[in-house]
């Protein structure tokens, strides 16, 4: 099979397309023919091993998993003898944020891991674009405890996480102000934003409205800068560690002080998320945003584009016609 692989951490230039043996499933695994995956910020972080702390999970000096890719949508090709709940030919989707090896034509994954049958309706490309960013968005809402009829501001609402978070907040009955660039303001409105802020024209941290939640899905602001936007018991959440790694520490400190607080979105159960996302897709309450679709031969360019921070929604990697 063909696969996007690397022998060391580094920039997109270290990625090579290689012909390697297709994996065989163990007794507790399924073999998936990958139809589509995404190239995400998580993939870029795993490629470069930044922040450095990631190396304690992925390999200190060199990556343990040479094949890239974290999410996937495809079909079951073979099943181990101890696997139940899946059949050959099933359309499935899944995620492993530490590396699923999905930027390849085939992968193996435990039948008990974060893999499930795909909902009917979406294409494999659309299904792949419903996973990684949406999982982080779901984790944010679960950790923050978003309730109905709350006022929410989302910075970075045009990204994979932000566009998913926007739709999930609307689904939960929130009033949403979405921050994005000029060319995507209509997209944000179409996803359900009640109000939009063009960051190319205005600094959202100087907004004159007050919010129950401020979600920074691109990690380009701080609690200090956003504090004035928060209601007396408002919640700030960033997807990044923050300057000096401050956000996890503030998440421990601010609840003890009362008032405005920081929540750090430690990701929630992936398999449970797939069930939630399956319902949202089936009920047509979620629409994946796709910036572009590329082939495996263009994977280096795809990583460079995602790392640039210029994408809208998801970059999809198509592995089969």
């Amino acid at each position: 099979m063909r696969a996007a692989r690397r022998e060391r951490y580094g920039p997109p230039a270290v990625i090579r397309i290689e012909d390697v043996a297709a994996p065989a499933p163990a007794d507790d695994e399924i073999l998936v023919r990958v139809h589509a995956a995404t190239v995400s910020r998580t993939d870029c972080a795993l490629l470069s091993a930044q922040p450095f702390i990631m190396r304690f999970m992925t390999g200190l000096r060199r990556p343990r998993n040479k094949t890239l890719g974290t999410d996937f949508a495809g079909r079951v090709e073979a099943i181990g003898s101890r696997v139940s709940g899946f059949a050959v030919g099933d359309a499935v989707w899944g995620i492993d944020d530490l590396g699923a090896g999905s930027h390849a034509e085939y992968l193996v994954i435990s039948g008990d891991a974060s893999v499930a049958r795909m909902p009917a309706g979406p294409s494999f490309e659309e299904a792949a674009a419903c996973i990684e960013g949406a999982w982080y968005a779901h984790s944010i809402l679960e950790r923050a405890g978003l309730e109905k009829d709350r006022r929410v501001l989302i910075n970075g609402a045009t990204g994979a996480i932000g566009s998913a978070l926007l739709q999930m907040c609307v689904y939960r009955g929130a009033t949403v102000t979405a921050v994005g660039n000029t060319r995507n303001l209509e997209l944000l409105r179409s996803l359900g934003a009640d109000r939009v802020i063009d960051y190319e024209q205005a600094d959202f941290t100087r907004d004159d409205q007050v919010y129950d939640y401020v979600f920074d899905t691109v990690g380009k602001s701080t609690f200090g800068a956003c504090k004035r936007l928060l209601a007396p018991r408002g919640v700030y959440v960033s997807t990044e560690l923050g300057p000096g790694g401050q956000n996890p520490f503030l998440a421990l400190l601010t609840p003890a002080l009362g008032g405005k607080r920081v929540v750090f979105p430690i990701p929630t159960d992936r398999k449970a998320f797939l069930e939630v996302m399956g319902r949202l897709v089936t009920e047509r309450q979620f629409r994946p945003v796709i910036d572009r679709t590329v082939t495996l031969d263009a994977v280096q360019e795809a990583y460079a584009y995602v790392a640039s921070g210029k994408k809208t929604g998801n970059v999809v990697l198509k592995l089969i016609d």
Side-chain angles (χ1 to χ4, degrees):
M1 69 172 186
R2 299 176 76 226
R5 291 167 60 84
R6 44 67 190 275
E7 294 296 324
R8 60 184 177 87
Y9 298 117
V14 305
I15 302 172
R16 296 287 182 267
I17 306 302
E18 298 179 0
D19 287 310
V20 296
D27 289 347
D28 62 344
E29 292 178 329
I30 62 175
L31 174 68
V32 177
R33 175 64 162 103
V34 181
H35 286 236
T38 66
V39 178
S40 66
R41 283 167 53 195
T42 300
D43 293 312
C44 291
L46 290 171
L47 177 65
S48 62
Q50 295 295 329
F52 187 86
I53 194 173
M54 295 183 66
R55 293 177 181 239
F56 292 99
M57 297 173 283
T58 62
L60 191 58
R61 297 185 63 189
R62 292 183 177 274
R64 284 190 289 269
N65 191 346
K66 301 295 191 296
T67 303
L68 296 159
T70 52
D71 58 17
F72 63 90
R75 288 197 182 276
V76 176
E77 290 280 318
I79 300 174
S81 60
R82 292 194 284 114
V83 174
S84 61
F86 296 98
V88 172
D90 281 349
V92 295
W93 60 358
I95 180 171
D96 184 343
D97 58 311
L98 292 180
S102 57
H103 292 172
E105 293 175 332
Y106 293 90
L107 63 80
V108 290
I109 187 169
S110 169
D112 295 325
S114 304
V115 57
R117 287 193 180 92
M118 271 175 47
S123 66
F124 287 109
E125 292 82 8
E126 291 167 335
C130 290
I131 305 174
E132 189 265 355
W135 175 54
Y136 286 113
H138 175 72
S139 298
I140 288 170
L141 295 184
E142 291 297 295
R143 298 299 183 189
L146 178 66
E147 299 173 349
K148 189 178 181 181
D149 298 325
R150 299 304 187 194
R151 299 158 297 176
V152 172
L153 181 142
I154 302 173
N155 184 38
T158 60
I161 300 174
S163 61
L165 184 61
L166 169 52
Q167 296 178 75
M168 291 177 176
C169 286
V170 171
Y171 180 74
R172 294 192 182 200
T175 299
V176 181
T177 293
V179 181
N181 54 12
T182 306
R183 66 185 175 88
N184 283 315
L185 299 183
E186 287 306 314
L187 169 65
L188 297 178
R189 293 187 180 100
S190 75
L191 295 177
D194 298 277
R195 180 169 170 261
V196 297
I197 296 175
D198 183 348
Y199 70 73
E200 294 180 321
Q201 301 297 323
D203 179 357
F204 82 90
T205 66
R206 309 312 302 169
D207 192 24
D208 58 4
Q209 296 199 19
V210 176
Y211 301 93
D212 300 298
Y213 298 87
V214 171
F215 298 132
D216 184 1
T217 67
V218 287
K220 292 185 177 179
S221 190
T222 63
F223 177 54
C226 294
K227 196 172 182 180
R228 61 177 298 276
L229 301 175
L230 291 170
R233 298 189 66 81
V235 174
Y236 171 81
V237 182
S238 174
T239 57
E240 302 296 329
L241 295 174
Q246 65 178 260
N247 288 328
F249 295 102
L250 290 172
L252 295 173
L253 177 64
T254 54
L257 299 176
K260 304 174 185 182
R261 60 191 174 93
V262 174
V263 169
F264 192 69
I266 298 170
T268 55
D269 184 276
R270 294 173 299 210
K271 200 171 184 70
F273 156 73
L274 291 174
E275 296 179 11
V276 172
M277 181 49 61
R279 289 196 299 271
L280 289 176
V281 171
T282 299
E283 295 170 9
R284 297 186 178 180
Q285 297 294 326
F286 187 87
R287 171 164 62 96
V289 176
I290 297 175
D291 181 305
R292 61 187 63 180
T293 300
V294 303
T295 64
L296 193 60
D297 290 321
V299 71
Q300 275 194 9
E301 292 84 351
Y303 269 83
Y305 179 57
V306 172
S308 76
K310 296 178 181 179
K311 72 179 178 66
T312 298
N314 297 271
V315 171
V316 173
L317 184 65
K318 188 174 182 179
L319 289 129
I320 188 172
D321 292 328

